[in-house]
Amino acid sequence: MDLASVNEELAEIDGQIGDILRALQNGFQKLDKIKDANRRSRQLEELTEKMRDCKRLIKDFERLVKDEAGSTDPETARMLHERKQTMIKELNSYVALKKQHASENKRVDLFDGPSVEDGFGEENVLLASNMANQQLMDHGNQMMDETDQAIARSKQTVQETINVGTETAAALKSQTEQMSRVVNELDSIHFSIKKASQMVKEIGRQVATDRCIMALLFLIVAGVIAIIVVKIVNPHNKDIRDIPGLAPPVSRRLLSIV
């Protein structure tokens, strides 16, 4: 099926992806024939860059397929999906091949003789070995620096946690002391209220006693006054005894007129 009938831009991207995949195939075939480590490294870098371009184009292809999904029939959509899967599968095979060559490129074959192409094969092998060792050392130093930084950050986090814990403990201690003072004050207030209640009860009893005494005195005075009144009104009443200190009333005699 001609992709140009579906979308011209889609067909153009498909052609670019096909060109890159063919270039990758030829590049890896040439890579198998290269013995020099430096040239193999440069060839791998070029192939890696082509694979990046191919991946970007496949994403553009997928985006255009999604845009055309509403205007294409199911058969065309299926064909486009299969085409995309084929490109992804082929690209993944080259990625795996690149990883294999990269791992092989790191190993130095001590039995290889000088390169016929430039006459400096042994020197190039040693240079590649030194570069690999230097890269490993740099990577190791970088990892150690990152580890040291991570440890420093962890120590800082632990110290901050300890400081927060110390501040929290101090705040809890202060609040505990404050609560103890509040409890003591409440106990004092409760004792004062209890003491005041006892005093109020005592005063009430005293007031009640005073009222009883006043009532008794009032009754005594009223009784004395009643006796005095009765004696004055009826002095010859023998049922009422004379009150000590009170003289009997003087009897009056009426003078008769002769």
Side-chain angles (χ1 to χ4, degrees):
M1 182 179 180
D2 187 11
L3 292 179
S5 61
V6 179
N7 189 301
E8 293 182 357
E9 187 178 358
L10 199 63
E12 182 180 356
I13 292 176
D14 182 71
Q16 293 177 1
I17 293 174
D19 294 339
I20 292 176
L21 291 176
R22 284 189 294 272
L24 289 172
Q25 182 181 4
N26 296 331
F28 279 107
Q29 289 176 357
K30 292 179 181 180
L31 187 63
D32 293 333
K33 301 176 182 180
I34 299 174
K35 302 300 181 182
D36 181 61
N38 287 333
R39 293 185 59 190
R40 289 174 64 87
S41 297
R42 289 193 297 270
Q43 183 70 9
L44 278 175
E45 290 177 0
E46 293 177 1
L47 294 174
T48 302
E49 187 65 27
K50 290 182 182 296
M51 284 187 285
R52 292 195 187 99
D53 294 337
C54 185
K55 182 178 180 181
R56 177 179 55 80
L57 290 172
I58 290 175
K59 288 184 177 180
D60 293 339
F61 185 89
E62 183 180 5
R63 177 179 56 80
L64 289 175
V65 169
K66 290 181 179 179
D67 294 340
E68 295 293 333
S71 60
T72 56
D73 56 280
E75 182 65 24
T76 303
R78 183 184 62 79
M79 185 272 296
L80 293 174
H81 178 73
E82 291 178 355
R83 176 60 181 160
K84 183 191 70 172
Q85 294 298 327
T86 302
M87 292 186 293
I88 293 175
K89 184 178 180 180
E90 190 172 355
L91 178 60
N92 287 335
S93 65
Y94 289 126
V95 171
L97 194 59
K98 178 254 180 183
K99 292 180 180 179
Q100 179 181 354
H101 282 284
S103 62
E104 291 177 355
N105 194 40
K106 292 180 181 179
R107 296 195 296 265
V108 179
D109 191 358
L110 299 178
F111 298 99
D112 286 345
S115 175
V116 180
E117 297 177 356
D118 52 12
F120 299 97
E122 184 177 358
E123 182 179 355
N124 289 334
V125 170
L126 292 176
L127 180 61
S129 178
N130 291 332
M131 289 178 63
N133 291 334
Q134 184 64 33
Q135 290 176 356
L136 289 174
M137 291 178 63
D138 293 340
H139 184 65
N141 292 331
Q142 183 180 359
M143 291 184 64
M144 290 177 65
D145 293 338
E146 292 177 355
T147 304
D148 292 339
Q149 293 176 1
I151 292 174
R153 289 194 297 269
S154 300
K155 288 183 178 179
Q156 184 178 0
T157 303
V158 171
Q159 186 62 38
E160 291 176 355
T161 304
I162 292 174
N163 294 335
V164 171
T166 303
E167 293 176 358
T168 304
L172 288 175
K173 183 178 180 181
S174 177
Q175 292 179 358
T176 302
E177 293 177 353
Q178 185 177 1
M179 290 295 293
S180 298
R181 290 193 298 269
V182 170
V183 171
N184 293 332
E185 291 177 358
L186 289 175
D187 291 338
S188 300
I189 294 173
H190 180 71
F191 178 77
S192 300
I193 293 174
K194 186 176 181 180
K195 191 70 175 178
S197 299
Q198 292 177 355
M199 291 180 65
V200 169
K201 291 180 180 179
E202 186 69 23
I203 292 172
R205 285 195 295 269
Q206 291 180 0
V207 169
T209 303
D210 293 341
R211 287 180 179 178
C212 291
I213 293 173
M214 291 294 295
L216 183 61
L217 291 175
F218 176 77
L219 292 175
I220 293 173
V221 171
V224 171
I225 293 174
I227 293 172
I228 293 173
V229 170
V230 170
K231 277 291 186 180
I232 293 173
V233 173
N234 191 6
H236 301 288
N237 191 353
K238 301 298 182 179
D239 296 331
I240 300 175
R241 299 177 60 185
D242 294 336
I243 298 175
L246 182 64
V250 179
S251 61
R252 297 178 182 179
R253 292 182 181 181
L254 296 176
L255 295 176
S256 60
I257 300 174
V258 180

